[in-house]
Amino acid sequence: MKYAFPTLLATIWFGLLSSTASANMSPSNQSEAAASYQALDALARQTRAQGDLPRWSIPDHARVLERFWNVKTTLGAPPYRSFDVPALLPIADRAGALYKTYLLFTSQPGALPDTTANTAKYQDEVSRAAAYLLKVQAAELEAIADFVSTLPAGEMTAPRRTGLQQVRLGINEMITSMILMVRSPGLNPANRDILLSALADDAAVIAASTPRADRAALVAQTEAILPALAGAEHEKALTFKSAFENGECGVLCTLETK
């Protein structure tokens, strides 16, 4: 399944990055990301033949899924810079494709997917897939911001600006979907914590790239879930909310004025 986010980035970046730059993501990170995907793809082909997808509740499947979603081994560590983008593109593509695969799965050829039912049935997998995808998107935003911060004003073309705006919009939509999942009464506490942890962990980077108007909408969505949360979950939601209320406004946040 194709995923549009990296395609937009590739359009923005094509021909702009030095081929001699050394990425912060090591070759071993990139190799492990590719190998873990190949293992997961092979498993998915097997389970699809049986009318299902890889399941977190099955130990053998969980080991393959956990390897694919391992942030340390597949993404390395920040800071991410502009020359990391080519390495991040295929990882984001695979992460987004897997996330959508669970949401849009149907065991009957030609049948329309029931995303609500899939989100409930595959909540263990969807929660982890969403958390990992958000981590990749945050890394990409950090790398993009590094590039834009050094881009001469005359090179911020209309197509490039539009592409960057679409990237931001796609990430905001991803965050909104995660907040809606947190609100679901059928979501178990462990999966709710996975989603809230991901939102809190990456809030600062994402907020720095988000326009003020979009921040206000995300704050309002977060306020709507706060009454149902307590303890550590409530604190994580507050951390996310605070980043979008008080966090710095970086070069992508002010993209329209650059």
Side-chain angles (χ1 to χ4, degrees), residues 235-256:
E235 290 302 313
K236 290 173 183 177
L238 285 178
T239 296
F240 176 83
K241 176 173 175 283
S242 177
F244 282 82
E245 287 178 323
N246 308 311
E248 67 171 309
C249 192
V251 293
L252 294 180
C253 172
T254 58
L255 180 64
E256 284 69 20

Side-chain angles (χ1 to χ4, degrees), residues 36 56 61-71 73-74:
S36 65
W56 186 256
H61 293 189
R63 282 190 286 273
V64 177
L65 288 165
E66 187 173 28
R67 180 186 178 189
F68 179 77
W69 290 321
N70 189 312
V71 172
T73 60
T74 62

Side-chain angles (χ1 to χ4, degrees), residues 18-249:
S18 169
S19 61
T20 59
S22 58
N24 285 348
M25 289 185 61
S26 70
S28 64
N29 293 142
Q30 299 173 55
S31 176
E32 173 58 17
S36 65
Y37 172 74
Q38 291 172 359
L40 179 55
D41 185 57
L43 175 62
R45 291 176 187 275
Q46 295 174 15
T47 57
R48 275 183 177 277
Q50 301 165 3
D52 204 353
L53 291 171
R55 302 304 305 271
W56 186 256
S57 58
I58 300 175
D60 288 345
H61 293 189
R63 282 190 286 273
V64 177
L65 288 165
E66 187 173 28
R67 180 186 178 189
F68 179 77
W69 290 321
N70 189 312
V71 172
K72 182 178 180 180
T73 60
T74 62
L75 291 182
Y80 298 98
R81 295 294 179 253
S82 58
F83 40 74
D84 288 310
V85 172
L88 288 166
L89 290 178
I91 297 175
D93 196 16
R94 299 163 193 149
L98 181 62
Y99 173 70
K100 283 191 171 184
T101 293
Y102 280 105
L103 291 180
L104 302 178
F105 178 71
T106 174
S107 59
Q108 301 298 324
L112 293 175
D114 186 337
T115 56
T116 300
N118 284 345
T119 301
K121 176 180 179 179
Y122 296 113
Q123 64 170 280
D124 290 344
E125 297 80 18
V126 170
S127 299
R128 288 165 175 81
Y132 182 72
L133 177 56
L134 189 65
K135 178 65 68 176
V136 180
Q137 290 177 331
E140 288 184 306
L141 281 177
E142 188 175 9
I144 293 170
D146 177 61
F147 173 75
V148 173
S149 67
T150 61
L151 186 68
E155 293 185 20
M156 180 52 75
T157 62
R160 184 171 290 151
R161 191 190 308 276
T162 298
L164 290 168
Q165 290 168 334
Q166 291 175 350
V167 167
R168 291 186 321 193
L169 177 61
I171 294 177
N172 284 349
E173 291 175 346
M174 180 68 194
I175 292 172
T176 295
S177 70
M178 292 174 71
I179 293 174
L180 288 173
M181 287 174 62
V182 169
R183 296 180 64 176
S184 174
L187 189 69
N188 69 48
N191 291 331
R192 185 164 56 246
D193 185 67
I194 287 171
L195 293 171
L196 288 168
S197 294
L199 290 169
D201 290 347
D202 297 311
V205 171
I206 296 172
S209 301
T210 305
R212 297 292 186 187
D214 293 338
R215 288 190 190 197
L218 292 172
V219 167
Q221 292 167 20
T222 306
E223 288 175 340
I225 67 173
L226 284 171
L229 303 176
E233 291 181 349
H234 192 268
E235 290 302 313
K236 290 173 183 177
L238 285 178
T239 296
F240 176 83
K241 176 173 175 283
S242 177
F244 282 82
E245 287 178 323
N246 308 311
E248 67 171 309
C249 192

Side-chain angles (χ1 to χ4, degrees), residues 3-14 89 159-160 162-168 170:
Y3 188 58
F5 182 68
T7 302
L8 287 170
L9 283 176
T11 300
I12 295 164
W13 245 262
F14 183 76
L89 290 178
R160 184 171 290 151
T162 298
L164 290 168
Q165 290 168 334
Q166 291 175 350
V167 167
R168 291 186 321 193

